[in-house]
Amino acid sequence: MQRPRTGRLLAGAFIIALLGAGLLGWRYHAEIVPRPYNPFTELDVADETSFATRFKLMRAGADAAYCRRALATSDLEISTLPDMPTVDGCGLENGVRVSGGAVALSGAFTATCPLALSYAMFERHVARPAARMYFGAEIRSITHVGSHVCRNVAGTDRRSDHATANALDVTAFTLVSGARVDILRDWPDDDREARFLRQLRDGACRYFRGVLGPDYNSAHADHFHFAAAGFSVCR
Ligand SMILES: [Zn+2]
């Protein structure tokens, strides 16, 4: 009776050892597993996304220096902001000022590094491909209505993700032709613009921790709330 059990234990130990050796090999021979698929290499915003991307974004959320290096690979213009001590739930840590790159912004915004990085990933891997797919065109600019405001979630006594620059509110997307897709106007329809916006909302959920839009409640009828903190939600 003992022998088969010992055999199974040995087989289990052998498999674990093999997996361990495989992981070590992966870690120390990054050239074998290309960067986009290797969770132990750094995130480059331009890389094709894979199962490893979420792991890298989690790392960026926990490691400020890693986040800054990853953000520097995007074509956004980034400048560092001094920390603002958190007082009464409002402040700024690991903050940057984000200006547009290939896709312009209606205005620069203040964000934590993880929020800026999620935005860079969304712009590159969701918004631009969706515009090409639905309109055969590039996006000229993304319109937002702010990110860093010391306030509560509307109708509650709970601080908003905006209080710590962990959320960005986006309202519209303008194509190079000048055509504008506006969440308030175009979301309720059943046309190409509406489908484009739904693809953006769904795609955003891969890169932001929280995404709220018109389907969530009437307070979000005119914008997407993209958050890098708080509870994980996609509606
Ligand atoms: Zn918001």
Side-chain angles (χ1 to χ4, degrees):
M1 288 306 283
Q2 281 299 90
R3 279 186 69 94
R5 193 166 173 192
T6 309
R8 276 203 299 275
L9 278 174
L10 278 174
F14 182 67
I15 287 168
I16 287 168
L18 265 185
L19 284 174
L23 275 175
L24 278 176
W26 203 357
R27 170 123 178 65
Y28 291 108
H29 296 280
E31 66 273 22
I32 297 173
V33 181
R35 193 178 61 204
Y37 311 100
N38 189 331
F40 300 108
T41 59
E42 300 224 328
L43 177 68
D44 186 305
V45 169
D47 279 349
E48 186 185 336
T49 58
S50 77
F51 67 93
T53 310
R54 184 162 282 275
F55 179 82
K56 293 180 182 187
L57 286 172
M58 280 168 55
R59 239 181 109 182
D63 180 340
Y66 181 101
C67 184
R68 297 304 178 101
R69 291 194 298 274
L71 191 53
T73 66
S74 87
D75 67 8
L76 297 169
E77 205 179 298
I78 303 292
S79 58
T80 298
L81 294 175
D83 283 356
M84 291 166 58
T86 303
V87 177
D88 197 17
C90 296
L92 180 67
E93 254 179 61
N94 192 16
V96 292
R97 190 84 179 150
V98 182
S99 307
V103 174
L105 279 158
S106 55
F109 66 89
T110 296
T112 59
C113 182
L115 177 65
L117 185 58
S118 291
Y119 173 80
M121 295 297 287
F122 164 80
E123 185 236 73
R124 172 99 191 188
H125 298 285
V126 180
R128 282 148 82 169
R132 283 177 213 127
M133 177 194 262
Y134 283 91
F135 306 105
E138 295 295 325
I139 295 182
R140 178 197 292 168
S141 69
I142 294 179
T143 304
H144 72 88
V145 289
S147 55
H148 194 205
V149 192
C150 182
R151 67 167 173 82
N152 290 348
V153 176
T156 75
D157 55 6
R158 197 160 45 82
R159 280 290 185 226
S160 161
D161 300 322
H162 291 289
T164 48
N166 266 310
L168 173 71
D169 289 341
V170 167
T171 55
F173 301 84
T174 303
L175 305 175
V176 283
S177 62
R180 184 180 158 100
V181 184
D182 182 279
I183 294 172
L184 180 64
R185 186 191 62 203
D186 295 310
W187 182 273
D189 298 337
D190 181 23
D191 56 9
R192 189 165 59 151
E193 284 73 16
R195 287 193 292 277
F196 166 72
L197 288 174
R198 274 159 185 77
Q199 176 142 328
L200 296 191
R201 191 269 315 268
D202 294 347
C205 296
R206 294 202 301 272
Y207 301 108
F208 293 97
R209 187 167 168 75
V211 175
L212 300 175
D215 279 354
Y216 180 60
N217 64 16
S218 59
H220 295 81
D222 62 354
H223 70 277
F224 292 142
H225 171 88
F226 291 148
F231 54 101
S232 179
V233 59
C234 175
R235 286 181 66 186

